[in-house]
Amino acid sequence: MKKIIVQKFGGTSVADTEKIKNAAKIAIKEKENGNDVVVVVSAMGHTTDFLVKMAKELSSHPSDREMDMLLSTGEGVSIALLTMAIQAQGYDAVSFNAMQIGIMTEKIHSKARIIDIHTEKLRKNLNEGKIIVVAGFQGITEDGEITTLGRGGSDTSAVALASALNAERCDIYTDVEGVYTTDPRIVPKASKLKSVSYDEMLELAHAGANVLHPRSVETAKHYNVPLRVRSSFNTDNEGTLILGVEKMEIYKPVTGVASDLSQARIVVCDVPDKPGVAAKLFSKLAHENISVDMIIQSYARKVSNTNDIAFTVNLDDVPGTVSALESLKSEIGFNGEIQTNNDIAKVSIVGAGMIDRPGVASMMFEALAEQGINIKMISTSEIKISCLVDKSDADKAVKALHNVFELACDKTAEVKGDLPDV
Ligand code: ADP
Ligand code: ASP
Ligand code: MG
């Protein structure tokens, strides 16, 4: 049986007809290598942003259902055009949207998770020798409603398809040459990683390294799908492999730095200091499908017997969060202020090498302090430390952290085998 390779082309890789021709060539080359090929595409260029902008011009609160109806159209254009480009080169190809295949998702608009993918049609068309082009980012519920997977979700469509088809590998073609130690647009001297573990990549993606949609890494890890990030425009570069295996020896405490500008901080002031309050608050948000990231609860003030709970949510979820909290006021018995701050950013350092190495956190805090950057919240996991800072400080913070942990490409050689004292 032939091996199946799933390829995914992001918006910039199909931004115009020349780029679509280039993507077609890459798909054909893989077919010529003797493999079966399934290609997942995003909407062309900034189409999705443009559609969002138009919706917002018409309505301050467009309904989630209609947003999904609207945004799912972008990918419909690119699958047909890419298929035509492949056919024009003399190869047999066919495009399908998520409804035609049966990419089944939960009944949640704008951030649905894939539950199942029907593979019959895909297998039949592969057996007929066709290159298959599939619309990323979209799905369908069992009652026929169109859903989308969240911004950047085509990566997740590709990995889920690779897993459903038992593919040999999933190649994510994008506008950079792989996964770097930080966003190369912020730090041009960032180093490209040859490989990175699922766990580190998952943390980096959650921390805002939007080169991969976090759920694509989660799915790849869960189903053990070998994942590769590489450039659409320089296919000589083998890119970055994301794999289950850790490096035998980890020389550096930190593998990468990321920033996330899409979060907002909410502070719920003067909530009663008694059992069950946090549970009620966060289960209400979970019920509304709002994901919470960093959480801090202040020490209870003995005089008033209340405390403050601060947390972060996605900027898009701020209105929903505030109305959910307002609706809880009488039930929980609080009447304090609900403060929101949209001008914050989360900066994070990630690295399996920080386990059991004391001093990494203090190095991070010192580097930020040296730049006069104030830290508003801190959260940690085994392989990640995140600090909330002012949005205007985000790039400065990323540069300082990339520098202090010696991640620049011209430093890599020095650091290998010569661990900095941390
Ligand atoms: P696509 O349209 O192909 O899905 P994205 O814009 O979603 O592309 O993701 C690629 C972008 O991710 C890059 O252009 C880069 O600016 C950004 N990025 C952020 N962090 C990283 C990182 N650590 N490594 C590589 N790229 C990163
Ligand atoms: N077109 C969608 C977006 O811009 C999905 C994707 O590109 O992955 O978010
Ligand atoms: Mg993307």
Side-chain angles (χ1 to χ4, degrees), residues 108-124:
I108 294 170
H109 286 296
S110 84
K111 44 187 160 187
R113 282 178 175 264
I114 297 174
I115 299 168
D116 189 23
I117 297 182
H118 300 165
T119 54
E120 304 80 46
K121 197 173 239 169
L122 296 168
R123 292 212 182 271
K124 179 174 171 288

Side-chain angles (χ1 to χ4, degrees), residues 307-345:
N307 53 36
D308 300 338
I309 299 181
F311 55 91
T312 59
V313 294
N314 194 283
L315 274 171
D316 291 339
D317 285 328
V318 172
T321 305
V322 172
S323 63
L325 294 171
E326 290 287 353
S327 75
L328 277 180
K329 275 191 165 170
S330 57
E331 189 185 330
I332 294 184
F334 79 99
N335 205 16
E337 223 188 321
I338 299 169
Q339 298 173 355
T340 60
N341 182 351
N342 292 356
D343 292 319
I344 50 103

Side-chain angles (χ1 to χ4, degrees), residues 16 116 166 330 348 359:
D16 55 37
D116 189 23
N166 254 320
S330 57
S348 309

Side-chain angles (χ1 to χ4, degrees), residues 87-216:
Q87 290 169 343
Q89 299 293 314
Y91 287 79
D92 208 358
V94 60
S95 68
F96 293 119
N97 62 30
M99 303 91 217
Q100 289 169 307
I101 293 172
I103 300 183
M104 310 307 297
T105 72
E106 306 164 320
K107 294 181 196 172
I108 294 170
H109 286 296
S110 84
K111 44 187 160 187
R113 282 178 175 264
I114 297 174
I115 299 168
D116 189 23
I117 297 182
H118 300 165
T119 54
E120 304 80 46
K121 197 173 239 169
L122 296 168
R123 292 212 182 271
K124 179 174 171 288
N125 281 275
L126 286 177
N127 289 340
E128 289 168 5
K130 291 177 190 153
I131 295 176
I132 302 181
V133 183
V134 180
F137 181 53
Q138 49 178 252
I140 187 155
T141 66
E142 60 182 10
D143 40 15
E145 287 295 307
I146 292 172
T147 53
T148 62
L149 312 182
R151 294 304 306 270
S154 297
D155 299 331
T156 300
S157 309
V159 176
L161 273 160
S163 157
L165 290 166
N166 254 320
E168 180 75 4
R169 200 179 63 240
C170 181
D171 285 342
I172 306 285
Y173 285 89
T174 185
D175 57 358
V176 284
E177 301 205 337
V179 179
Y180 285 72
T181 45
T182 194
D183 189 339
R185 286 177 213 285
I186 302 175
V187 182
K189 277 197 168 177
S191 329
K192 186 176 78 66
L193 301 168
K194 220 170 148 43
S195 69
V196 60
S197 68
Y198 289 130
D199 287 333
E200 286 178 313
M201 191 62 233
L202 192 56
E203 292 283 19
L204 279 170
H206 274 298
N210 59 350
V211 61
L212 283 175
H213 191 236
R215 280 181 9 231
S216 70

Side-chain angles (χ1 to χ4, degrees), residues 8 10-11 42-43 45 48-49 71 75 136-137 150-155:
K8 178 256 167 179
S42 296
T48 314
D49 291 334
L71 299 194
E75 274 68 14
F137 181 53
R151 294 304 306 270
S154 297
D155 299 331

